PDB file of all heavy atoms in Angstrom:
ATOM      1  N   THR A 454     -86.349-123.069  98.763  1.00  0.00           N
ATOM      2  CA  THR A 454     -85.697-121.996  99.509  1.00  0.00           C
ATOM      3  C   THR A 454     -85.473-122.311 100.981  1.00  0.00           C
ATOM      4  O   THR A 454     -84.658-121.666 101.625  1.00  0.00           O
ATOM      5  CB  THR A 454     -86.525-120.710  99.445  1.00  0.00           C
ATOM      6  OG1 THR A 454     -87.769-120.928 100.136  1.00  0.00           O
ATOM      7  CG2 THR A 454     -86.792-120.316  97.993  1.00  0.00           C
ATOM      8  N   HIS A 455     -86.209-123.268 101.527  1.00  0.00           N
ATOM      9  CA  HIS A 455     -86.216-123.551 102.964  1.00  0.00           C
ATOM     10  C   HIS A 455     -86.627-122.299 103.759  1.00  0.00           C
ATOM     11  O   HIS A 455     -86.329-122.210 104.971  1.00  0.00           O
ATOM     12  CB  HIS A 455     -84.874-124.066 103.459  1.00  0.00           C
ATOM     13  CG  HIS A 455     -84.482-125.407 102.907  1.00  0.00           C
ATOM     14  ND1 HIS A 455     -83.448-126.151 103.402  1.00  0.00           N
ATOM     15  CD2 HIS A 455     -84.982-126.119 101.869  1.00  0.00           C
ATOM     16  CE1 HIS A 455     -83.314-127.259 102.697  1.00  0.00           C
ATOM     17  NE2 HIS A 455     -84.254-127.268 101.784  1.00  0.00           N
ATOM     18  N   GLY A 456     -87.260-121.349 103.099  1.00  0.00           N
ATOM     19  CA  GLY A 456     -87.662-120.121 103.774  1.00  0.00           C
ATOM     20  C   GLY A 456     -86.468-119.280 104.234  1.00  0.00           C
ATOM     21  O   GLY A 456     -86.641-118.329 104.997  1.00  0.00           O
ATOM     22  N   GLY A 457     -85.302-119.605 103.732  1.00  0.00           N
ATOM     23  CA  GLY A 457     -84.073-118.961 104.193  1.00  0.00           C
ATOM     24  C   GLY A 457     -83.320-119.801 105.201  1.00  0.00           C
ATOM     25  O   GLY A 457     -82.117-119.644 105.376  1.00  0.00           O
ATOM     26  N   GLN A 458     -84.055-120.686 105.902  1.00  0.00           N
ATOM     27  CA  GLN A 458     -83.528-121.655 106.870  1.00  0.00           C
ATOM     28  C   GLN A 458     -82.965-121.007 108.130  1.00  0.00           C
ATOM     29  O   GLN A 458     -83.375-121.346 109.228  1.00  0.00           O
ATOM     30  CB  GLN A 458     -82.515-122.595 106.232  1.00  0.00           C
ATOM     31  CG  GLN A 458     -82.170-123.775 107.147  1.00  0.00           C
ATOM     32  CD  GLN A 458     -81.452-124.889 106.435  1.00  0.00           C
ATOM     33  OE1 GLN A 458     -81.648-125.145 105.244  1.00  0.00           O
ATOM     34  NE2 GLN A 458     -80.597-125.595 107.154  1.00  0.00           N
ATOM     35  N   LEU A 459     -82.033-120.088 107.991  1.00  0.00           N
ATOM     36  CA  LEU A 459     -81.511-119.340 109.142  1.00  0.00           C
ATOM     37  C   LEU A 459     -81.890-117.887 108.946  1.00  0.00           C
ATOM     38  O   LEU A 459     -81.336-117.206 108.081  1.00  0.00           O
ATOM     39  CB  LEU A 459     -79.981-119.492 109.243  1.00  0.00           C
ATOM     40  CG  LEU A 459     -79.465-120.911 109.447  1.00  0.00           C
ATOM     41  CD1 LEU A 459     -77.941-120.934 109.432  1.00  0.00           C
ATOM     42  CD2 LEU A 459     -79.983-121.501 110.756  1.00  0.00           C
ATOM     43  N   CYS A 460     -82.847-117.437 109.709  1.00  0.00           N
ATOM     44  CA  CYS A 460     -83.409-116.110 109.543  1.00  0.00           C
ATOM     45  C   CYS A 460     -83.154-115.253 110.783  1.00  0.00           C
ATOM     46  O   CYS A 460     -82.785-115.777 111.852  1.00  0.00           O
ATOM     47  CB  CYS A 460     -84.911-116.177 109.272  1.00  0.00           C
ATOM     48  SG  CYS A 460     -85.339-117.101 107.770  1.00  0.00           S
ATOM     49  N   ILE A 461     -83.297-113.978 110.620  1.00  0.00           N
ATOM     50  CA  ILE A 461     -83.140-113.035 111.730  1.00  0.00           C
ATOM     51  C   ILE A 461     -84.513-112.540 112.129  1.00  0.00           C
ATOM     52  O   ILE A 461     -85.265-112.053 111.284  1.00  0.00           O
ATOM     53  CB  ILE A 461     -82.250-111.853 111.311  1.00  0.00           C
ATOM     54  CG1 ILE A 461     -80.839-112.344 110.964  1.00  0.00           C
ATOM     55  CG2 ILE A 461     -82.186-110.806 112.432  1.00  0.00           C
ATOM     56  CD1 ILE A 461     -79.920-111.262 110.461  1.00  0.00           C
ATOM     57  N   PRO A 462     -84.887-112.696 113.407  1.00  0.00           N
ATOM     58  CA  PRO A 462     -86.209-112.222 113.833  1.00  0.00           C
ATOM     59  C   PRO A 462     -86.429-110.752 113.468  1.00  0.00           C
ATOM     60  O   PRO A 462     -85.529-109.929 113.624  1.00  0.00           O
ATOM     61  CB  PRO A 462     -86.177-112.441 115.353  1.00  0.00           C
ATOM     62  CG  PRO A 462     -85.198-113.566 115.553  1.00  0.00           C
ATOM     63  CD  PRO A 462     -84.150-113.360 114.490  1.00  0.00           C
ATOM     64  N   PHE A 463     -87.631-110.457 112.966  1.00  0.00           N
ATOM     65  CA  PHE A 463     -88.060-109.110 112.572  1.00  0.00           C
ATOM     66  C   PHE A 463     -87.336-108.599 111.318  1.00  0.00           C
ATOM     67  O   PHE A 463     -87.579-107.493 110.890  1.00  0.00           O
ATOM     68  CB  PHE A 463     -87.887-108.106 113.711  1.00  0.00           C
ATOM     69  CG  PHE A 463     -88.497-108.553 115.006  1.00  0.00           C
ATOM     70  CD1 PHE A 463     -87.707-108.916 116.074  1.00  0.00           C
ATOM     71  CD2 PHE A 463     -89.880-108.636 115.140  1.00  0.00           C
ATOM     72  CE1 PHE A 463     -88.270-109.334 117.280  1.00  0.00           C
ATOM     73  CE2 PHE A 463     -90.448-109.089 116.327  1.00  0.00           C
ATOM     74  CZ  PHE A 463     -89.652-109.425 117.396  1.00  0.00           C
ATOM     75  N   TYR A 464     -86.456-109.429 110.749  1.00  0.00           N
ATOM     76  CA  TYR A 464     -85.794-109.048 109.503  1.00  0.00           C
ATOM     77  C   TYR A 464     -86.121-110.057 108.405  1.00  0.00           C
ATOM     78  O   TYR A 464     -86.469-109.669 107.287  1.00  0.00           O
ATOM     79  CB  TYR A 464     -84.283-108.967 109.710  1.00  0.00           C
ATOM     80  CG  TYR A 464     -83.509-108.650 108.433  1.00  0.00           C
ATOM     81  CD1 TYR A 464     -83.448-107.338 107.959  1.00  0.00           C
ATOM     82  CD2 TYR A 464     -82.886-109.660 107.712  1.00  0.00           C
ATOM     83  CE1 TYR A 464     -82.737-107.062 106.759  1.00  0.00           C
ATOM     84  CE2 TYR A 464     -82.189-109.387 106.534  1.00  0.00           C
ATOM     85  CZ  TYR A 464     -82.117-108.078 106.076  1.00  0.00           C
ATOM     86  OH  TYR A 464     -81.444-107.796 104.919  1.00  0.00           O
ATOM     87  N   GLY A 465     -86.023-111.337 108.753  1.00  0.00           N
ATOM     88  CA  GLY A 465     -86.352-112.381 107.791  1.00  0.00           C
ATOM     89  C   GLY A 465     -85.129-113.083 107.242  1.00  0.00           C
ATOM     90  O   GLY A 465     -84.062-113.110 107.854  1.00  0.00           O
ATOM     91  N   ALA A 466     -85.301-113.649 106.053  1.00  0.00           N
ATOM     92  CA  ALA A 466     -84.256-114.469 105.440  1.00  0.00           C
ATOM     93  C   ALA A 466     -83.063-113.618 105.007  1.00  0.00           C
ATOM     94  O   ALA A 466     -83.232-112.467 104.560  1.00  0.00           O
ATOM     95  CB  ALA A 466     -84.824-115.210 104.225  1.00  0.00           C
ATOM     96  N   LEU A 467     -81.892-114.195 105.123  1.00  0.00           N
ATOM     97  CA  LEU A 467     -80.679-113.554 104.626  1.00  0.00           C
ATOM     98  C   LEU A 467     -80.474-113.890 103.155  1.00  0.00           C
ATOM     99  O   LEU A 467     -79.947-113.072 102.401  1.00  0.00           O
ATOM    100  CB  LEU A 467     -79.471-113.988 105.440  1.00  0.00           C
ATOM    101  CG  LEU A 467     -79.465-113.608 106.922  1.00  0.00           C
ATOM    102  CD1 LEU A 467     -78.316-114.264 107.643  1.00  0.00           C
ATOM    103  CD2 LEU A 467     -79.413-112.095 107.077  1.00  0.00           C
ATOM    104  N   VAL A 468     -80.859-115.106 102.766  1.00  0.00           N
ATOM    105  CA  VAL A 468     -80.634-115.593 101.393  1.00  0.00           C
ATOM    106  C   VAL A 468     -81.848-116.412 100.972  1.00  0.00           C
ATOM    107  O   VAL A 468     -82.637-116.868 101.790  1.00  0.00           O
ATOM    108  CB  VAL A 468     -79.353-116.459 101.305  1.00  0.00           C
ATOM    109  CG1 VAL A 468     -78.117-115.631 101.618  1.00  0.00           C
ATOM    110  CG2 VAL A 468     -79.441-117.644 102.252  1.00  0.00           C
ATOM    111  N   THR A 469     -81.953-116.621  99.649  1.00  0.00           N
ATOM    112  CA  THR A 469     -83.007-117.469  99.109  1.00  0.00           C
ATOM    113  C   THR A 469     -82.486-118.683  98.349  1.00  0.00           C
ATOM    114  O   THR A 469     -83.229-119.600  98.029  1.00  0.00           O
ATOM    115  CB  THR A 469     -83.926-116.671  98.169  1.00  0.00           C
ATOM    116  OG1 THR A 469     -83.174-116.316  97.003  1.00  0.00           O
ATOM    117  CG2 THR A 469     -84.450-115.425  98.838  1.00  0.00           C
ATOM    118  N   ASN A 470     -81.203-118.701  98.048  1.00  0.00           N
ATOM    119  CA  ASN A 470     -80.531-119.795  97.308  1.00  0.00           C
ATOM    120  C   ASN A 470     -81.092-119.959  95.901  1.00  0.00           C
ATOM    121  O   ASN A 470     -81.039-121.032  95.311  1.00  0.00           O
ATOM    122  CB  ASN A 470     -80.608-121.114  98.088  1.00  0.00           C
ATOM    123  CG  ASN A 470     -79.594-122.130  97.571  1.00  0.00           C
ATOM    124  OD1 ASN A 470     -78.558-121.773  97.028  1.00  0.00           O
ATOM    125  ND2 ASN A 470     -79.930-123.418  97.720  1.00  0.00           N
ATOM    126  N   CYS A 471     -81.673-118.916  95.355  1.00  0.00           N
ATOM    127  CA  CYS A 471     -82.133-118.916  93.976  1.00  0.00           C
ATOM    128  C   CYS A 471     -82.426-117.470  93.581  1.00  0.00           C
ATOM    129  O   CYS A 471     -82.063-116.542  94.318  1.00  0.00           O
ATOM    130  CB  CYS A 471     -83.381-119.791  93.783  1.00  0.00           C
ATOM    131  SG  CYS A 471     -84.839-119.216  94.654  1.00  0.00           S
ATOM    132  N   GLY A 472     -83.080-117.226  92.460  1.00  0.00           N
ATOM    133  CA  GLY A 472     -83.273-115.880  91.978  1.00  0.00           C
ATOM    134  C   GLY A 472     -84.427-115.120  92.597  1.00  0.00           C
ATOM    135  O   GLY A 472     -84.550-113.915  92.344  1.00  0.00           O
ATOM    136  N   ILE A 473     -85.258-115.783  93.398  1.00  0.00           N
ATOM    137  CA  ILE A 473     -86.388-115.093  93.993  1.00  0.00           C
ATOM    138  C   ILE A 473     -85.898-114.096  95.029  1.00  0.00           C
ATOM    139  O   ILE A 473     -84.858-114.298  95.672  1.00  0.00           O
ATOM    140  CB  ILE A 473     -87.376-116.109  94.617  1.00  0.00           C
ATOM    141  CG1 ILE A 473     -88.763-115.513  94.838  1.00  0.00           C
ATOM    142  CG2 ILE A 473     -86.846-116.660  95.930  1.00  0.00           C
ATOM    143  CD1 ILE A 473     -89.549-115.344  93.581  1.00  0.00           C
ATOM    144  N   ASP A 474     -86.626-113.002  95.225  1.00  0.00           N
ATOM    145  CA  ASP A 474     -86.234-111.994  96.209  1.00  0.00           C
ATOM    146  C   ASP A 474     -86.560-112.460  97.616  1.00  0.00           C
ATOM    147  O   ASP A 474     -87.393-113.340  97.841  1.00  0.00           O
ATOM    148  CB  ASP A 474     -86.964-110.675  95.910  1.00  0.00           C
ATOM    149  CG  ASP A 474     -88.461-110.889  95.754  1.00  0.00           C
ATOM    150  OD1 ASP A 474     -88.880-111.387  94.676  1.00  0.00           O
ATOM    151  OD2 ASP A 474     -89.220-110.554  96.678  1.00  0.00           O
ATOM    152  N   ARG A 475     -85.896-111.858  98.589  1.00  0.00           N
ATOM    153  CA  ARG A 475     -86.078-112.267 100.002  1.00  0.00           C
ATOM    154  C   ARG A 475     -87.507-112.108 100.492  1.00  0.00           C
ATOM    155  O   ARG A 475     -87.975-112.877 101.310  1.00  0.00           O
ATOM    156  CB  ARG A 475     -85.147-111.473 100.911  1.00  0.00           C
ATOM    157  CG  ARG A 475     -83.661-111.832 100.788  1.00  0.00           C
ATOM    158  CD  ARG A 475     -82.857-111.194 101.915  1.00  0.00           C
ATOM    159  NE  ARG A 475     -83.150-109.783 102.076  1.00  0.00           N
ATOM    160  CZ  ARG A 475     -83.910-109.281 103.052  1.00  0.00           C
ATOM    161  NH1 ARG A 475     -84.478-110.061 103.940  1.00  0.00           N
ATOM    162  NH2 ARG A 475     -84.085-107.967 103.116  1.00  0.00           N
ATOM    163  N   ALA A 476     -88.206-111.091  99.979  1.00  0.00           N
ATOM    164  CA  ALA A 476     -89.558-110.827 100.444  1.00  0.00           C
ATOM    165  C   ALA A 476     -90.508-111.974 100.108  1.00  0.00           C
ATOM    166  O   ALA A 476     -91.563-112.130 100.751  1.00  0.00           O
ATOM    167  CB  ALA A 476     -90.076-109.521  99.845  1.00  0.00           C
ATOM    168  N   ARG A 477     -90.165-112.774  99.095  1.00  0.00           N
ATOM    169  CA  ARG A 477     -91.044-113.865  98.689  1.00  0.00           C
ATOM    170  C   ARG A 477     -90.385-115.236  98.902  1.00  0.00           C
ATOM    171  O   ARG A 477     -90.677-116.180  98.199  1.00  0.00           O
ATOM    172  CB  ARG A 477     -91.428-113.676  97.214  1.00  0.00           C
ATOM    173  CG  ARG A 477     -92.267-112.441  96.958  1.00  0.00           C
ATOM    174  CD  ARG A 477     -92.732-112.358  95.504  1.00  0.00           C
ATOM    175  NE  ARG A 477     -91.617-112.220  94.581  1.00  0.00           N
ATOM    176  CZ  ARG A 477     -91.728-112.385  93.267  1.00  0.00           C
ATOM    177  NH1 ARG A 477     -92.903-112.681  92.717  1.00  0.00           N
ATOM    178  NH2 ARG A 477     -90.681-112.217  92.484  1.00  0.00           N
ATOM    179  N   VAL A 478     -89.514-115.314  99.891  1.00  0.00           N
ATOM    180  CA  VAL A 478     -88.790-116.546 100.143  1.00  0.00           C
ATOM    181  C   VAL A 478     -89.712-117.651 100.637  1.00  0.00           C
ATOM    182  O   VAL A 478     -89.386-118.840 100.542  1.00  0.00           O
ATOM    183  CB  VAL A 478     -87.653-116.282 101.132  1.00  0.00           C
ATOM    184  CG1 VAL A 478     -88.175-116.022 102.563  1.00  0.00           C
ATOM    185  CG2 VAL A 478     -86.635-117.429 101.138  1.00  0.00           C
ATOM    186  N   LYS A 479     -90.876-117.313 101.179  1.00  0.00           N
ATOM    187  CA  LYS A 479     -91.873-118.303 101.562  1.00  0.00           C
ATOM    188  C   LYS A 479     -93.240-117.606 101.625  1.00  0.00           C
ATOM    189  O   LYS A 479     -93.347-116.379 101.674  1.00  0.00           O
ATOM    190  CB  LYS A 479     -91.547-118.921 102.926  1.00  0.00           C
ATOM    191  CG  LYS A 479     -91.580-117.931 104.087  1.00  0.00           C
ATOM    192  CD  LYS A 479     -91.251-118.617 105.403  1.00  0.00           C
ATOM    193  CE  LYS A 479     -91.275-117.628 106.560  1.00  0.00           C
ATOM    194  NZ  LYS A 479     -90.950-118.296 107.850  1.00  0.00           N
ATOM    195  N   GLY A 480     -94.282-118.422 101.607  1.00  0.00           N
ATOM    196  CA  GLY A 480     -95.632-117.903 101.760  1.00  0.00           C
ATOM    197  C   GLY A 480     -96.312-117.589 100.425  1.00  0.00           C
ATOM    198  O   GLY A 480     -95.816-117.967  99.358  1.00  0.00           O
ATOM    199  N   LEU A 481     -97.453-116.929 100.514  1.00  0.00           N
ATOM    200  CA  LEU A 481     -98.281-116.636  99.357  1.00  0.00           C
ATOM    201  C   LEU A 481     -98.061-115.201  98.907  1.00  0.00           C
ATOM    202  O   LEU A 481     -98.171-114.264  99.668  1.00  0.00           O
ATOM    203  CB  LEU A 481     -99.750-116.841  99.710  1.00  0.00           C
ATOM    204  CG  LEU A 481    -100.750-116.669  98.560  1.00  0.00           C
ATOM    205  CD1 LEU A 481    -100.583-117.778  97.523  1.00  0.00           C
ATOM    206  CD2 LEU A 481    -102.180-116.672  99.116  1.00  0.00           C
ATOM    207  N   HIS A 482     -97.738-115.048  97.621  1.00  0.00           N
ATOM    208  CA  HIS A 482     -97.464-113.739  97.045  1.00  0.00           C
ATOM    209  C   HIS A 482     -98.036-113.700  95.629  1.00  0.00           C
ATOM    210  O   HIS A 482     -98.718-114.624  95.181  1.00  0.00           O
ATOM    211  CB  HIS A 482     -95.950-113.486  97.024  1.00  0.00           C
ATOM    212  CG  HIS A 482     -95.328-113.535  98.386  1.00  0.00           C
ATOM    213  ND1 HIS A 482     -95.347-112.467  99.268  1.00  0.00           N
ATOM    214  CD2 HIS A 482     -94.669-114.558  99.025  1.00  0.00           C
ATOM    215  CE1 HIS A 482     -94.736-112.823 100.387  1.00  0.00           C
ATOM    216  NE2 HIS A 482     -94.305-114.055 100.277  1.00  0.00           N
ATOM    217  N   ARG A 483     -97.739-112.660  94.887  1.00  0.00           N
ATOM    218  CA  ARG A 483     -98.096-112.551  93.476  1.00  0.00           C
ATOM    219  C   ARG A 483     -96.849-112.549  92.616  1.00  0.00           C
ATOM    220  O   ARG A 483     -95.793-112.103  93.049  1.00  0.00           O
ATOM    221  CB  ARG A 483     -98.890-111.268  93.216  1.00  0.00           C
ATOM    222  CG  ARG A 483    -100.222-111.151  93.931  1.00  0.00           C
ATOM    223  CD  ARG A 483    -101.153-112.283  93.594  1.00  0.00           C
ATOM    224  NE  ARG A 483    -101.534-112.339  92.193  1.00  0.00           N
ATOM    225  CZ  ARG A 483    -102.657-111.797  91.691  1.00  0.00           C
ATOM    226  NH1 ARG A 483    -103.499-111.158  92.494  1.00  0.00           N
ATOM    227  NH2 ARG A 483    -102.953-111.903  90.412  1.00  0.00           N
ATOM    228  N   HIS A 484     -96.994-113.094  91.402  1.00  0.00           N
ATOM    229  CA  HIS A 484     -95.979-112.918  90.368  1.00  0.00           C
ATOM    230  C   HIS A 484     -96.718-112.607  89.088  1.00  0.00           C
ATOM    231  O   HIS A 484     -97.383-113.479  88.519  1.00  0.00           O
ATOM    232  CB  HIS A 484     -95.107-114.175  90.203  1.00  0.00           C
ATOM    233  CG  HIS A 484     -93.947-113.933  89.283  1.00  0.00           C
ATOM    234  ND1 HIS A 484     -92.730-113.500  89.763  1.00  0.00           N
ATOM    235  CD2 HIS A 484     -93.835-114.008  87.934  1.00  0.00           C
ATOM    236  CE1 HIS A 484     -91.895-113.346  88.720  1.00  0.00           C
ATOM    237  NE2 HIS A 484     -92.560-113.626  87.599  1.00  0.00           N
ATOM    238  N   ASP A 485     -96.607-111.364  88.673  1.00  0.00           N
ATOM    239  CA  ASP A 485     -97.376-110.890  87.523  1.00  0.00           C
ATOM    240  C   ASP A 485     -98.851-111.189  87.770  1.00  0.00           C
ATOM    241  O   ASP A 485     -99.383-110.813  88.803  1.00  0.00           O
ATOM    242  CB  ASP A 485     -96.847-111.514  86.233  1.00  0.00           C
ATOM    243  CG  ASP A 485     -95.410-111.118  85.935  1.00  0.00           C
ATOM    244  OD1 ASP A 485     -94.955-110.078  86.467  1.00  0.00           O
ATOM    245  OD2 ASP A 485     -94.741-111.825  85.184  1.00  0.00           O
ATOM    246  N   SER A 486     -99.510-111.891  86.858  1.00  0.00           N
ATOM    247  CA  SER A 486    -100.952-112.145  87.009  1.00  0.00           C
ATOM    248  C   SER A 486    -101.257-113.374  87.857  1.00  0.00           C
ATOM    249  O   SER A 486    -102.441-113.676  88.124  1.00  0.00           O
ATOM    250  CB  SER A 486    -101.561-112.361  85.611  1.00  0.00           C
ATOM    251  OG  SER A 486    -100.962-113.453  84.946  1.00  0.00           O
ATOM    252  N   ALA A 487    -100.244-114.101  88.312  1.00  0.00           N
ATOM    253  CA  ALA A 487    -100.466-115.362  89.020  1.00  0.00           C
ATOM    254  C   ALA A 487    -100.234-115.213  90.519  1.00  0.00           C
ATOM    255  O   ALA A 487     -99.491-114.334  90.963  1.00  0.00           O
ATOM    256  CB  ALA A 487     -99.509-116.428  88.472  1.00  0.00           C
ATOM    257  N   TYR A 488    -100.849-116.106  91.278  1.00  0.00           N
ATOM    258  CA  TYR A 488    -100.503-116.283  92.677  1.00  0.00           C
ATOM    259  C   TYR A 488     -99.300-117.247  92.752  1.00  0.00           C
ATOM    260  O   TYR A 488     -99.224-118.202  91.981  1.00  0.00           O
ATOM    261  CB  TYR A 488    -101.663-116.842  93.487  1.00  0.00           C
ATOM    262  CG  TYR A 488    -102.706-115.820  93.821  1.00  0.00           C
ATOM    263  CD1 TYR A 488    -103.774-115.615  92.979  1.00  0.00           C
ATOM    264  CD2 TYR A 488    -102.600-115.051  94.978  1.00  0.00           C
ATOM    265  CE1 TYR A 488    -104.758-114.651  93.278  1.00  0.00           C
ATOM    266  CE2 TYR A 488    -103.556-114.097  95.282  1.00  0.00           C
ATOM    267  CZ  TYR A 488    -104.640-113.890  94.437  1.00  0.00           C
ATOM    268  OH  TYR A 488    -105.575-112.939  94.733  1.00  0.00           O
TER     269      TYR A 488
END
């Protein structure tokens, strides 16, 4: 995802370049039972 690569401060990524949502474009999150 490159974390969105070009982001807006206090807003975050505009795109993810795949099916993942913007909120999980980088970092540690959950997906169902997994980290």
Side-chain angles (χ1 to χ4, degrees):
T454 66
H455 295 192
Q458 191 165 329
L459 298 176
C460 299
I461 297 176
F463 309 110
Y464 177 79
L467 296 173
V468 295
T469 67
N470 197 27
C471 64
I473 199 75
D474 51 285
R475 289 191 311 103
R477 296 185 296 167
V478 71
K479 65 179 179 180
L481 184 67
H482 301 278
R483 297 301 297 264
H484 188 91
D485 297 338
S486 60
Y488 282 92

